[in-house]
């Protein structure tokens, strides 16, 4: 994590996403802009939540780990999105782990200033309500997605989500073969079965397995497999 000490850059994001009405004048001086590199954690499940983060550029992966050590993907998030909203309202630790899929920019504000200046600010409360209810809707869909759809569809959706970022046309991610066990856990399947599906998609010319990485050769065919039921 690195702070971007450029108020003009922060102001540009505020204008782009129409955030001036959400954060009132007293809160503006307490907003900070941070950058996260690909693969860097924004927060970890169980950590104390002290900041509210607003995603203004890039893509995030949100996942959860059970007490038995099993990990399951919740969703991928594009701007405009909020991290730490439920935790702020509930005064709780972070519920999920959040990781940067692509280079990410986020606006952050400490809970201290939210409580002091935003507790009764209606536009902020309405914004958080919309974001939180949207997350519960998405989580319900994600749980159904992992239970009801075949591994081929789940894998296609996952690879599309980690390989492409709509806010950055130059970003071309890849799935490292060293991360396949984690990927299998995240989409709720076995490592062996995941490899069988990858081999099938490689034989069909949709994926290509290179040295240490899996690349997308035919994005459109992969999208047709995923359909509309993707993690985003």
């Amino acid at each position: 994590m690195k702070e971007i000490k450029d108020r003009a850059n922060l102001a540009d994001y505020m204008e782009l996403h129409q955030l001036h009405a959400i954060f009132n004048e007293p809160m503006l001086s307490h907003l900070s802009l941070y950058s996260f590199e690909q693969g860097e954690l924004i927060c970890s499940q169980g950590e104390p939540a002290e900041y509210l983060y607003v995603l203004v550029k890039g893509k995030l992966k949100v996942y959860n780990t059970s007490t038995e050590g099993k990990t399951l993907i919740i969703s991928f998030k594009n701007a405009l999105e909020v991290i730490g909203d439920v935790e702020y309202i509930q005064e709780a630790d972070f519920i999920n782990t959040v990781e940067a899929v692509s280079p990410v920019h986020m606006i952050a504000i400490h809970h201290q200033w939210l409580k002091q200046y935003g507790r009764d600010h209606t536009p902020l409360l309405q914004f958080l309500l919309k974001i939180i209810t949207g997350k519960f809707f998405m989580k319900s869909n994600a749980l159904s997605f992992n239970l009801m759809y075949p591994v081929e569809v789940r894998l296609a959706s996952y690879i599309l989500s980690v390989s492409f970022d709509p806010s950055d046309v130059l970003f071309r991610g890849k799935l490292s073969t060293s991360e396949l066990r984690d990927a299998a856990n995240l989409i709720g399947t076995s490592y062996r079965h995941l490899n069988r599906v990858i081999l099938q998609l490689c034989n069909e010319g949709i994926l290509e397995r290179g040295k240490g990485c899996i690349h997308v050769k035919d994005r459109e065919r992969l999208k047709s497999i995923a359909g509309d039921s993707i993690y985003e």
Side-chain angles (χ1 to χ4, degrees):
M1 179 179 74
K2 181 180 178 181
E3 184 175 1
I4 303 173
K5 297 182 178 180
D6 184 346
R7 302 305 290 184
N9 199 351
L10 173 61
D12 288 341
Y13 282 125
M14 295 287 289
E15 181 69 26
L16 176 64
H17 296 291
Q18 301 179 340
L19 296 174
H20 287 287
I22 295 168
F23 296 107
N24 58 25
E25 191 67 32
M27 283 189 279
L28 294 180
S29 62
H30 299 290
L31 298 177
S32 300
L33 182 63
Y34 292 98
S35 66
F36 295 82
E37 297 298 322
Q38 181 183 357
E40 191 173 357
L41 294 183
I42 285 76
C43 61
S44 296
Q45 182 181 342
E47 284 184 347
E50 298 180 349
Y51 287 86
L52 183 80
Y53 295 97
V54 181
L55 174 65
V56 291
K57 179 184 177 182
K59 177 181 282 190
L60 302 173
K61 177 169 66 177
V62 183
Y63 56 95
N64 188 276
T65 304
S66 71
T67 54
E68 294 80 18
K70 293 185 178 180
T71 304
L72 188 66
I73 190 166
I74 303 298
S75 63
F76 287 84
K77 299 292 185 183
N78 299 295
L80 184 69
E81 189 53 74
V82 178
I83 301 300
D85 43 4
V86 174
E87 292 83 352
Y88 165 65
I89 298 296
Q90 294 290 327
E91 298 184 343
D93 296 338
F94 280 113
I95 301 169
N96 301 310
T97 298
V98 181
E99 177 185 328
V101 173
S102 66
V104 161
H105 286 177
M106 303 190 81
I107 295 173
I109 182 169
H110 197 280
H111 288 184
Q112 172 188 350
W113 308 117
L114 285 173
K115 292 174 182 177
Q116 185 170 340
Y117 300 120
R119 189 182 296 274
D120 299 317
H121 185 50
T122 301
L124 173 63
L125 298 177
Q126 289 178 333
F127 173 68
L128 292 178
L129 178 62
K130 182 178 180 181
I131 291 290
I132 291 171
T133 53
K135 285 182 177 179
F136 281 112
F137 180 78
M138 174 65 75
K139 186 172 183 179
S140 176
N141 283 348
L143 290 173
S144 298
F145 187 76
N146 274 290
L147 291 171
M148 297 174 61
Y149 285 83
V151 172
E152 182 184 45
V153 176
R154 283 179 267 158
L155 176 63
S157 300
Y158 181 80
I159 291 176
L160 285 169
S161 293
V162 298
S163 299
F164 302 97
D165 178 0
S167 69
D168 185 353
V169 295
L170 298 179
F171 176 75
R172 290 292 183 271
K174 54 194 176 185
L175 182 60
S176 170
T177 52
S178 65
E179 298 172 353
L180 288 182
R181 289 191 184 276
D182 288 337
N185 287 332
L186 287 167
I187 66 173
T189 190
S190 69
Y191 175 68
R192 179 176 296 180
H193 187 44
L194 182 72
N195 273 295
R196 285 199 294 265
V197 175
I198 289 172
L199 178 61
Q200 173 190 330
L201 295 176
C202 288
N203 290 337
E204 294 175 6
I206 298 172
L207 300 179
E208 182 177 51
R209 193 161 189 160
K211 187 176 180 180
C213 293
I214 294 168
H215 299 273
V216 177
K217 284 188 67 177
D218 193 329
R219 183 182 179 185
E220 292 306 312
R221 288 175 66 193
L222 196 64
K223 285 173 66 176
S224 70
I225 293 172
D228 294 327
S229 299
I230 59 175
Y231 290 112
E232 298 179 46

